[in-house]
Amino acid sequence: MLALLHRSGRTALTSLTVQAVSRNYSSGQMAKRVAVVLAGCGVYDGSEIHEASAVLVHLSRGGATVNMFAPNIDQMHVVNHLKGEPTEEKRNVLVESARLARGNIQDLSKLSVENHDAVIIPGGFGAAKNLCTWAVQGKDCSVNEEVKAVLQAFHGKGKPIGLCCIAPVLAAKVFRGCEVTVGIEGNDKYPNTADTAAAFHQLGCKHVSKSVDQVHVDQKNKLVTTSAFMCDAPIHQIFDGIGVMVQDVLKLA
């Protein structure tokens, strides 16, 4: 009897092991390949660190394979984050982004749309200063040519684009007529949303008011946007909203 139980146990264990391996293999085969584009390191002059981290955590939880990229250019300026004031330093966007990527990052010029199923860009002032010039020129801004080319390439292939916080300004500038959200208009918890939304309307785009834990999905353009730190909200709500964005991007990929 004991021998029979041992044999049965081994058989069951073997069966479970095979099933587990099969599941892992299948999930590996189906893993989405996502490019994350960074804009430096730090809310005032680069990518917002908590937003970038939330994107990476949720992509990991979703089983995605991630590659990180940043343009190899100088930052618009460098801000002393303790004082909130610009300094005379010069820093490189790719080099600074490598801090967030733990060194595992590539020049944006090497990003191939063919090798990825989706692209996500976290917010932070770097998105509006280094990836484009929205911070100083608003709706009349220009978008970095490499960033613009990446967005147009993913859009042209019908692959989803995720944008959070102020990063949706990139879509508003590149894709006329698109739909995005940067929060709720006329709500004190979203102090900069109304002005940004007004600029979107002037560009021919539609702003859709959504709370920090929600996203807006522009099905036509496969754009998924959420307000993140455009809202004065607890960090866990920012994290959760970005999680919804990542989930929807992966569903569309």
Side-chain angles (χ1 to χ4, degrees), residues 75 89 115 148 242:
Q75 293 182 187
E89 291 181 67
N115 294 333
K148 183 178 180 180
I242 290 173

Side-chain angles (χ1 to χ4, degrees), residues 21-32:
V21 171
S22 297
R23 283 197 300 271
N24 289 337
Y25 178 76
S26 298
S27 63
Q29 289 294 93
M30 297 173 64
K32 302 300 182 181

Side-chain angles (χ1 to χ4, degrees), residues 186-245:
N187 186 311
D188 290 343
K189 288 187 176 181
Y190 303 81
N192 299 306
T193 292
D195 289 344
T196 307
F200 288 166
H201 293 313
Q202 291 174 28
L203 288 170
C205 299
K206 180 180 180 181
H207 179 261
V208 182
S209 286
K210 293 285 185 177
S211 64
V212 67
D213 56 353
Q214 295 178 317
V215 303
H216 179 68
V217 180
D218 179 344
Q219 294 285 353
K220 178 182 177 181
N221 293 295
K222 285 199 172 182
L223 296 174
V224 185
T225 53
T226 191
S227 61
F229 278 106
M230 290 292 284
C231 178
D232 181 15
I235 193 169
H236 71 275
Q237 291 183 5
I238 308 293
F239 185 92
D240 291 344
I242 290 173
V244 178
M245 179 193 72

Side-chain angles (χ1 to χ4, degrees), residues 28-202:
Q29 289 294 93
M30 297 173 64
K32 302 300 182 181
R33 304 161 300 171
V34 181
V36 174
V37 177
L38 300 177
C41 182
V43 57
Y44 298 130
D45 57 12
S47 290
E48 211 293 323
I49 294 171
H50 298 296
E51 290 181 12
S53 178
V55 166
L56 296 174
V57 168
H58 287 296
L59 284 172
S60 175
R61 183 169 289 146
T65 298
V66 177
N67 292 308
M68 285 177 272
F69 301 86
N72 187 7
I73 58 174
D74 286 339
Q75 293 182 187
M76 189 188 89
H77 62 187
V78 177
V79 175
N80 179 326
H81 279 59
L82 182 61
K83 296 181 178 180
E85 299 173 352
T87 74
E88 296 301 317
E89 291 181 67
K90 297 291 184 182
R91 296 192 184 185
N92 177 278
V93 174
L94 177 59
V95 172
E96 290 301 294
S97 297
R99 294 174 179 272
L100 280 171
R102 298 172 62 88
N104 187 15
I105 195 167
Q106 301 175 65
D107 191 317
L108 184 60
S109 64
K110 297 180 180 179
L111 197 168
S112 168
V113 65
E114 302 296 339
N115 294 333
H116 296 87
D117 301 302
V119 61
I120 294 178
I121 304 180
F125 279 97
K129 291 179 177 180
N130 303 327
L131 304 187
C132 69
T133 58
W134 186 279
V136 291
Q137 294 180 300
K139 65 180 180 61
D140 299 318
C141 75
S142 60
V143 178
N144 173 277
E145 287 301 319
E146 288 182 351
V147 174
K148 183 178 180 180
V150 165
L151 292 173
Q152 290 176 329
F154 277 87
H155 185 264
K157 293 290 184 180
K159 296 182 177 183
I161 299 168
L163 303 159
C164 63
C165 194
I166 195 63
V169 302
L170 297 167
K173 192 65 181 180
V174 175
F175 306 121
R176 186 173 181 82
C178 71
E179 300 177 358
V180 294
T181 187
V182 285
I184 300 176
E185 297 176 62
N187 186 311
D188 290 343
K189 288 187 176 181
Y190 303 81
N192 299 306
T193 292
D195 289 344
T196 307
F200 288 166
H201 293 313
Q202 291 174 28

